[in-house]
Amino acid sequence: MIRFLLVALMLIISEHVCAQSADKVNPDNPPQFLGGMNNYRKYVGDNLNWTQSQLTVEGKVYVEFVVEKDGGISESKVIKGLCKSCDDEALRLIKDMPKWSPGTIRGKPKRWRMVLPIEFKL
């Protein structure tokens, strides 16, 4: 009898937990480059300008920026660079990006701080 009650109690508890989990919808959505990360990589590939002095440099420049509530980009800065000319080019790419789909928290647009790499590869 005790086993039966324990099993019944466990079923009731697990059913309640599963019902709560199904009701919850993730309300937080990070910003998205329009068309996704494949379009981001295409944008970088199509718009990256290397000068003669950069042709011997390979690596990644990491740029931090804020996606504003309207999808615009602000507060961009290099947080890990390669050389001055590569860093400047990475910043130019980020600043010239088209607007993103803004991120939301609980369904409301919010500012999001992002870090993305710009790869310089021969």
Side-chain angles (χ1 to χ4, degrees), residues 54-107:
Q54 295 167 316
L55 291 177
T56 59
V57 177
E58 280 191 302
K60 293 180 183 179
V61 175
Y62 290 87
V63 181
E64 179 181 87
F65 59 95
V66 173
V67 178
E68 297 290 343
K69 291 179 185 181
D70 68 353
I73 304 299
S74 68
E75 299 179 29
S76 56
K77 66 181 179 181
V78 172
I79 59 171
K80 183 180 179 200
L82 284 174
C83 65
K84 172 117 174 75
S85 58
C86 291
D87 296 353
D88 291 345
E89 178 60 12
L91 277 175
R92 183 196 66 77
L93 276 172
I94 296 295
K95 289 178 180 178
D96 291 349
M97 275 194 299
K99 285 189 173 186
W100 287 44
S101 295
T104 59
I105 297 177
R106 294 186 196 105

Side-chain angles (χ1 to χ4, degrees), residues 6-20:
L6 286 174
V7 169
L9 182 60
M10 287 173 54
L11 287 173
I12 291 170
I13 290 172
S14 65
E15 187 176 314
H16 179 70
V17 169
C18 289
Q20 281 184 338

